[in-house]
Amino acid sequence: MPTDNYPYAVGRIRVLESGLLGDAKLARLAELPYDAARRQLLDWGFAAEYPVKEDADGLIDYRRREIRDVIRELTPQPELTDLFYLEYDAINLKLLLKQRLLGGGDVVATELTPGVFDPALLDGAVDAKDYAALGEPLCSRMNDVEARMALSPDPRVLSAM
């Protein structure tokens, strides 16, 4: 639930800061092989509440969702902080469009990093070539991309757009 209680937000952020990995810990992790780094994170309690200790990618996604929930909780206007997550939507749309363009393996919506929009909604929009559910101006821009791709289906042009 969004809040405009700034003292509460500052206090909550201070508590979260104490659990961040500092420069020394990050330098230590950078020196370790993958498995040793994963074990070190476990030793530091970084994955204490995450059920699958061997799944580093899952842990990262879990932490990403967790911090997004905290941001939504502490933000008086979540629609403004959601703007930071549009980057993930752009990446997801590009992946889904390239998948459709080039064929190959399926990108499963659950494997995409959530942005403002649910990845399943983006997947359906790309499959149907109907972006109305994304609202303006994203709908107009995606229609421009679709029109351009109909003229010349070039993955490099798609990336640039």
Side-chain angles (χ1 to χ4, degrees):
M1 172 180 204
T3 181
D4 59 358
N5 184 339
Y6 294 104
Y8 168 76
V10 169
R12 181 81 194 277
I13 290 168
R14 296 274 186 214
V15 169
L16 292 171
E17 280 178 335
S18 68
L20 294 177
L21 298 176
D23 291 340
K25 286 184 177 181
L26 287 174
R28 169 124 171 83
L29 285 176
E31 295 171 355
L32 297 173
Y34 177 80
D35 283 336
R38 185 180 51 77
R39 282 191 306 274
Q40 183 64 64
L41 285 172
L42 293 175
D43 290 345
W44 288 334
F46 193 71
E49 66 280 351
Y50 189 67
V52 185
K53 306 298 186 208
E54 297 77 30
D55 182 13
D57 292 332
L59 173 61
I60 291 168
D61 289 339
Y62 173 79
R63 290 292 187 186
R64 188 178 289 136
R65 282 190 304 275
E66 185 179 56
I67 196 63
R68 182 172 182 170
D69 292 344
V70 170
I71 290 170
R72 287 194 70 79
E73 173 192 340
L74 299 178
T75 303
Q77 293 177 303
E79 62 276 2
L80 295 178
T81 52
D82 279 351
L83 294 175
F84 292 104
Y85 291 97
L86 282 175
E87 177 182 2
Y88 295 118
D89 291 324
I91 292 167
N92 291 341
L93 285 166
K94 184 168 72 167
L95 285 170
L96 291 165
L97 284 165
K98 281 189 175 187
Q99 172 191 305
R100 189 182 75 203
L101 181 67
L102 300 173
D106 284 340
V107 174
V108 181
T110 57
E111 294 174 352
L112 299 174
T113 301
V116 174
F117 299 99
D118 179 23
L121 174 71
L122 297 179
D123 190 23
V126 169
D127 283 346
K129 298 182 184 179
D130 179 9
Y131 302 99
L134 305 182
E136 289 299 328
L138 195 51
C139 178
S140 296
R141 186 64 182 137
M142 290 307 298
N143 288 333
D144 293 344
V145 169
E146 287 287 355
R148 176 63 176 91
M149 296 317 303
L151 294 174
S152 173
D154 184 346
R156 292 174 297 180
V157 172
L158 173 61
S159 289
M161 293 185 78

